[in-house]
Amino acid sequence: EEALQGLSKMKKKELVQLFLHCDAPSSVSEFAFGDDTTSDGNDDNNDGRGDDWKYDGFLLDNGPILSPVTNFITNRMFGRGRKWLGKAYYLTPPKTTATTTTTTTTTATCASNDNNVDTIIGVGRNRFSHDNHHPTTQSVASNELFDRTFDYSIEKSALPSSLSTSSKSLFNRYASHCSLFSSLLSLLWRGMVDELRVVALLDNNDDDNNEGNSSSSTNNGNGVENQKRRVVLLGMGYFTWSGGVWNLAPFCLISRKC
């Protein structure tokens, strides 16, 4: 994947600059699709779209000191010792959810903010590696575990607007899915926020043999043609209690090839 190779070579300062020059998704359908797919990863309608809503996640440069810290927090603490694989966004609520104190946000809705701009709200989950040696009550598909539920929305960015070409980002927030009465780590994740924007990809539709196309068509065998879009999201993660946007951790999400 050329996009991942390019992002992996960039330093944190360059990644932040790129983020500031990217735009938020124009609508939820730009990054979350395959709403007939359930949280167990099955293709319920047998239309070949079973993985469309999955994103592979990759940690990017956060400096020589903080990169190992970010890796430890992501895989050892946030992942409970399981490797973080990425995220999944749902247009419709997953059939099963992680234990939370709030479940009313699991239905995708459309609201209006103070700037009279539609804000799309839905639910997503993080993907982690899983093996049979670690029993779990969370949703498991094959060798993947779906955990750490979040609400997502498109809203005004917390990053300084004077430095950015866009005023909005895709937000992932965990607070409503973290109990106030469980563990101290749950309080830690309440302050976790991700801001993401779309990295523009070159669309070489004229070259049918180019594997780097941002979109391609497949046929599911039933005469239905599905449009496969490649989406790259550049993310900036931060904790509201430890510097917020002044202490960013870059990562990226790449939609899976299905």
Side-chain angles (χ1 to χ4, degrees):
E1 176 64 54
E2 293 183 4
L4 176 59
Q5 292 178 1
L7 292 172
S8 298
K9 294 178 181 178
M10 299 176 71
K11 298 299 183 183
K12 180 177 181 178
K13 182 178 180 180
E14 297 173 317
L15 292 166
V16 173
Q17 291 175 341
L18 174 61
F19 180 89
L20 293 175
H21 286 83
C22 293
D23 294 321
S26 59
S27 67
V28 66
S29 61
E30 187 175 343
F31 67 91
F33 30 88
D35 57 332
D36 60 339
T37 306
T38 60
S39 61
D40 60 5
N42 292 325
D43 181 13
D44 286 351
N45 289 349
N46 194 31
D47 63 1
R49 298 173 59 186
D51 286 330
D52 274 5
W53 43 265
K54 288 184 182 179
Y55 283 78
D56 292 328
F58 305 91
L59 300 178
L60 301 175
D61 180 68
N62 196 22
I65 297 177
L66 291 180
S67 287
V69 175
T70 301
N71 182 72
F72 179 81
I73 292 176
T74 303
N75 296 300
R76 299 298 300 175
M77 297 177 64
F78 188 63
R80 311 178 207 259
R82 301 178 175 92
K83 180 178 175 58
W84 179 66
L85 300 179
K87 296 180 184 287
Y89 294 89
Y90 303 94
L91 282 177
T92 54
K95 289 185 177 179
T96 58
T97 58
T99 302
T100 65
T101 56
T102 304
T103 58
T104 56
T105 56
T106 57
T107 301
T109 60
C110 187
S112 180
N113 61 20
D114 294 337
N115 296 323
N116 295 320
V117 178
D118 285 339
T119 300
I120 308 298
I121 301 174
V123 164
R125 281 193 184 142
N126 285 272
R127 301 168 47 229
F128 300 94
S129 62
H130 175 71
D131 59 65
N132 295 329
H133 299 292
H134 293 84
T136 179
T137 59
Q138 306 300 332
S139 175
V140 177
S142 184
N143 60 342
E144 291 186 16
L145 178 143
F146 294 81
D147 196 6
R148 302 295 190 188
T149 306
F150 57 85
D151 299 323
Y152 67 81
S153 59
I154 300 174
E155 56 188 88
K156 185 177 181 180
S157 173
L159 276 74
S161 58
S162 61
L163 303 176
S164 178
T165 59
S166 175
S167 62
K168 295 184 178 297
S169 297
L170 166 64
F171 276 77
N172 299 165
R173 300 183 186 275
Y174 296 81
S176 65
H177 298 275
C178 298
S179 173
L180 289 170
F181 307 101
S182 55
S183 65
L184 291 177
L185 281 180
S186 181
L187 298 178
L188 177 76
W189 308 128
R190 284 184 64 87
M192 188 173 179
V193 178
D194 300 323
E195 284 197 39
L196 301 104
R197 293 181 178 177
V198 179
V199 178
L201 298 179
L202 294 177
D203 191 356
N204 301 314
N205 285 331
D206 294 334
D207 184 0
D208 293 334
N209 296 321
N210 191 330
E211 295 182 357
N213 287 356
S214 60
S215 64
S216 62
S217 296
T218 60
N219 193 292
N220 63 9
N222 297 322
V224 179
E225 187 178 80
N226 299 314
Q227 189 72 10
K228 302 298 185 183
R229 292 172 293 167
R230 298 292 283 154
V231 180
V232 176
L233 299 174
L234 178 59
M236 297 291 158
Y238 54 88
F239 289 102
T240 56
W241 47 262
S242 66
V245 296
W246 303 107
N247 187 20
L248 301 169
F251 66 96
C252 71
L253 299 176
I254 301 179
S255 59
R256 294 181 61 110
K257 288 184 178 180
C258 306

